[in-house]
Every structure is written in C-alpha cells, then in structure tokens.
C-alpha cells in the first residue's frame, strides 16, 4: 500500500486522535499494516470507506477508542482572559493561532482544523469550540472539503520545516556560545581555582561533544 496515497485520503486535521503524531505517520502505519483504517474520527464513516477502497481492507465502524464522528468545531479565544502565554501557538499544528508573548492571541478561523490540541494547554481555560456550520451540522468529510485538507497539510508541512530550521539555528547559536565560553573560560569566569576551572572546562567540553554528536546524527 502507498502511504502517500493513503495520506491524501486523510482530512489532515493533525489532531493525533488516531494515536499517531500526525496524519502522515498514521498513513505510514496503515501502509505498513501496523494501524487499522478506522482510527480517524474527523474522517468519520466516509473516511473509513475511502481508506477501505484504497487499501482493499473491509469497511468497519470507527474504533470508539479514538473518538466518535462529530461536527467540525473551531477554536475561539476569549481575548478578555488570554494572558499571552503562547502555549496555544506552540500546540497548533497548522499555525492557525497568531500572537506574541504577553500579547493577546487569536485564531485564524479559516485555518483552524478543529484539532482541539490548543484546549488542554491553555492555563486559563480561555479557549472554546464553536460550530463551523449552522444546524443541522454536517459531520466527517461532509464538514470538511478536500481543498481544506490540502491547505491544512501544506500549512502543517511548512510549520514542520520552519520548526526544524529554527531548531538547527538555535542549536548552532548555543554551540557557538558554548565554544566561546570554553575558549575564554579563565578570563571571563569569576572562578579562580584551577581545579574548579578544569571541572567547568570538562563539563563544557562534554556538553559540546554531545551537541556535535547530535548535529552529526541529524
């Protein structure tokens, strides 16, 4: 089975309810025979049917362990209570939350996938979910278009690339800082005991060795 083809059939909410960190990981697990096709509540019964047709596996009900099919709900931040902690920004897999530290945050409604990952991380419980459609609310793929899924996947992939780049840049800055500290330890440290300085130097050298090993392995 082709994991890319399977991934293209998933709603791309990146909600993790399937038990995997993202839709692509779930698709790879299905392709490898490690996951069943009924673990995606956002896709609902229609999603299971699509996966069954693509994989040749039998149609089956959604596994309730992973949740139930339901209407699409979008996150809304009560700005009167928001403290600007940025935790929801970090939790959102598709960069649908905007704001900066200690400033009010808001959700870009058109970009929200309803993954609900921002809800549990909010320390002041100022995020709620509101219906994306008027009653009677559609569920599963009836509430979510292929175009929305494609857009969500693009935003998720771009975010993943950005986070990886930021990590590399951060690690490089920390490595340069540690190398500078090691090279100028004696003159910049308030410590004067040679034994203590040697101990500090050994600790920094060990940390640098670990950092270089991680960079080589990445």
């Amino acid at each position: 089975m082709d994991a890319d083809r399977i991934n293209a059939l998933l709603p791309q909410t990146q909600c993790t309810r399937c038990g995997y960190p993202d839709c692509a990981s779930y698709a790879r697990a299905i392709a490898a025979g490690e996951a069943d096709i009924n673990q995606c509540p956002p896709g609902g019964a229609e999603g299971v049917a699509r996966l069954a047709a693509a994989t040749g596996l039998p149609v089956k009900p959604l596994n309730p362990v992973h949740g139930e099919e339901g209407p699409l709900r979008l996150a809304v931040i009560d700005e009167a209570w928001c403290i600007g902690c940025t935790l929801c920004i970090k939790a959102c897999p598709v960069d649908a939350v905007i704001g900066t530290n200690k400033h009010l945050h808001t959700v870009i409604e058109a970009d929200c996938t309803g993954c609900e990952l921002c809800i549990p991380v909010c320390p002041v419980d100022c995020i709620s979910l509101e219906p994306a459609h008027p009653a009677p609310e559609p569920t599963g793929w009836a509430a979510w278009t292929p175009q929305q899924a494609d857009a969500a996947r693009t935003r998720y992939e771009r975010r993943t690339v950005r986070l990886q780049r930021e990590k590399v840049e951060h690690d490089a800055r920390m490595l340069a800082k540690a190398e500078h500290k090691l090279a100028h330890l004696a003159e910049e440290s308030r410590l004067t005991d040679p034994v203590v300085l040697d101990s500090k130097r050994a600790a920094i050298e060990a940390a640098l060795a670990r950092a270089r090993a991680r960079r080589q392995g990445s």
Side-chain angles (χ1 to χ4, degrees):
M1 290 183 282
D2 186 347
D4 289 338
R5 183 185 176 198
I6 294 171
N7 190 35
L9 296 173
L10 297 174
Q12 303 301 318
T13 60
Q14 316 300 337
C15 67
T16 74
R17 276 176 270 182
C18 60
Y20 291 87
D22 55 27
C23 295
S25 297
Y26 177 42
R28 288 192 292 270
I30 293 175
E34 299 170 354
D36 214 334
I37 60 173
N38 64 342
Q39 298 176 202
C40 177
E46 174 63 24
V48 175
R50 294 182 184 187
L51 291 173
T55 61
L57 296 171
V59 175
K60 58 184 66 177
L62 276 172
N63 186 337
V65 170
H66 300 281
E68 299 179 354
E69 179 175 349
L72 176 63
R73 300 294 171 86
L74 304 180
V76 176
I77 296 175
D78 185 341
E79 296 182 355
W81 289 97
C82 177
I83 59 174
C85 69
T86 74
L87 292 177
C88 58
I89 294 177
K90 296 173 183 176
C92 180
V94 293
D95 281 342
V97 185
I98 57 174
T100 57
N101 188 39
K102 298 183 180 179
H103 289 76
L104 299 181
H105 304 341
T106 191
V107 177
I108 304 173
E109 181 178 323
D111 292 348
C112 179
T113 67
C115 71
E116 303 183 19
L117 294 177
C118 58
I119 302 293
V121 301
C122 179
V124 293
D125 196 24
C126 73
I127 305 176
S128 59
L129 296 171
E130 296 188 357
H133 302 283
E137 297 178 73
T139 65
W141 271 108
W144 188 247
T145 68
Q147 291 75 21
Q148 287 175 303
D150 288 342
R153 178 170 57 183
T154 297
R155 290 194 302 274
Y156 176 71
E157 291 173 347
R158 287 176 179 171
R159 177 179 183 272
T160 300
V161 171
R162 174 176 59 79
L163 292 179
Q164 291 172 342
R165 182 185 69 249
E166 290 175 353
K167 183 181 185 306
V168 169
E169 293 172 350
H170 173 269
D171 290 348
R173 288 195 300 270
M174 294 300 100
L175 184 61
K177 184 177 180 180
E179 288 173 338
H180 174 84
K181 184 178 289 292
L182 180 63
H184 302 277
L185 184 62
E187 58 264 39
E188 293 187 0
S189 176
R190 288 179 291 181
L191 301 172
T192 57
D193 187 330
V195 175
V196 176
L197 284 172
D198 286 344
S199 177
K200 291 288 185 182
R201 186 175 291 106
I204 295 173
E205 288 174 342
L208 284 170
R210 291 193 297 270
R212 293 188 183 106
R214 285 195 299 270
R215 293 187 70 184
Q216 292 173 355
S218 61

